[in-house]
Amino acid sequence: MLYAIFLLSTLAISGCARTDHIGKAPSFSPTTNNQEHYAMMNPPLPTQASVSRRSDTASLWSRNKQSLLGDRRAAGRGDILTVVIEVDEKAQINNETERSRSGSESMSIPQLAGLPQRLNTRLPEGATTDPLVDLSSNSSSSGDGSVKRSEKLTLRVAATIVDVLPNGVLAIQGTQELRVNYELRELLVSGFVRSEDISRQNEITFDKIASARVSYGGRGQISDMQQPRLGQQVLDAVLPF
């Protein structure tokens, strides 16, 4: 009963995900009521009170972002920066293992108070107690494995600072969606960066993001055709052979 309920609920969820783009292009994800939108609409409270002066906005040498020489790099919650993702990795691993072992054991008792001779007369024709025990074993194993992988990805995406941690590290999150005909491509990036790693162009590279999470995929009619049916996936996970 529980298995049937689980299967029906899974089918319903899968069906709702696919019925979104039946006969039409996939729908975009909402840009409101998400973590990025919340960070932009709710700036953090200042840690200390600052007194504003008219000269701060009139001077060209002010530190404000609106001034001529101000630092325009993202620093607070709700600010936007550009994440540059350039991944070009190649890995090749070859492993080969071979092992062999052989052993033999033999034991005979030709003279033990005449017992072997008496036993030989009682044994069937052709059987003898010499040697009494004769064991031999032989085992061998070999293995060969190789891994070859090549990945190349070049992307640029705008991310939003969603939180500033107590140690000054910035938590970022960015989403990007591109729809071409009936296929929607999604790019998601998140992680933690240091403010000093952000360049003067308000950019940060992928290798400077801690706990980086990058997802590049999509949904639509082509993606549905490339995925096995739900029943086939369930059978692949359940059947032992």
Side-chain angles (χ1 to χ4, degrees):
M1 183 64 181
L2 294 177
Y3 176 76
I5 296 176
F6 171 76
L7 184 60
L8 291 176
S9 60
T10 306
L11 291 173
I13 295 174
S14 177
C16 293
R18 291 191 173 184
T19 54
D20 174 70
H21 48 269
I22 293 181
K24 64 182 184 68
S27 303
F28 286 104
S29 302
T31 57
T32 57
N33 298 328
N34 55 17
Q35 195 171 2
E36 294 181 71
H37 184 259
Y38 178 82
M40 295 179 186
M41 295 297 296
N42 299 275
L45 297 176
T47 56
Q48 58 183 2
S50 58
V51 180
S52 60
R53 298 175 298 179
R54 294 183 178 181
S55 58
D56 293 338
T57 57
S59 176
L60 297 177
W61 312 103
S62 174
R63 296 182 179 179
N64 296 332
K65 294 183 178 181
Q66 294 80 8
S67 63
L68 181 61
L69 301 178
D71 189 2
R72 291 178 173 81
R73 292 180 295 180
R77 190 171 70 180
D79 293 345
I80 298 176
L81 72 159
T82 303
V83 178
V84 181
I85 304 173
E86 293 182 354
V87 179
D88 189 1
E89 298 179 352
K90 293 182 180 180
Q92 186 172 356
I93 302 174
N94 294 321
N95 293 326
E96 185 175 354
T97 304
E98 184 175 354
R99 186 183 66 175
S100 63
R101 181 179 63 182
S102 61
S104 62
E105 297 290 341
S106 179
M107 182 180 67
S108 61
I109 48 173
Q111 300 295 333
L112 185 62
L115 292 178
Q117 289 76 8
R118 293 179 178 272
L119 291 176
N120 289 334
T121 58
R122 297 178 179 273
L123 293 176
E125 184 179 357
T128 179
T129 59
D130 189 22
L132 188 63
V133 178
D134 189 2
L135 300 176
S136 62
S137 63
N138 188 9
S139 64
S140 62
S141 62
S142 62
D144 188 9
S146 62
V147 176
K148 186 176 182 181
R149 185 179 64 184
S150 178
E151 298 175 351
K152 186 175 183 180
L153 186 64
T154 302
L155 298 169
R156 296 172 66 92
V157 58
T160 305
I161 298 177
V162 296
D163 194 12
V164 179
L165 304 184
N167 60 349
V169 175
L170 310 176
I172 64 172
Q173 180 177 336
T175 60
Q176 186 182 83
E177 295 183 357
L178 176 64
R179 187 173 65 190
V180 179
N181 294 334
Y182 288 87
E183 190 70 15
L184 184 67
R185 289 297 175 188
E186 298 175 328
L187 174 61
L188 308 176
V189 59
S190 63
F192 303 94
V193 301
R194 299 186 305 174
S195 57
E196 52 267 26
D197 291 334
I198 303 174
S199 65
R200 296 289 298 180
Q201 290 77 26
N202 199 29
E203 296 179 351
I204 189 167
T205 55
F206 174 73
D207 58 336
K208 293 182 175 63
I209 302 177
S211 300
R213 299 292 184 269
V214 177
S215 174
Y216 182 69
R219 50 189 170 91
Q221 297 180 356
I222 298 178
S223 300
D224 292 344
M225 293 299 296
Q226 293 177 345
Q227 292 292 331
R229 292 298 181 183
L230 182 61
Q232 182 179 353
Q233 297 181 22
V234 173
L235 291 178
D236 291 341
V238 173
L239 294 179
F241 304 104

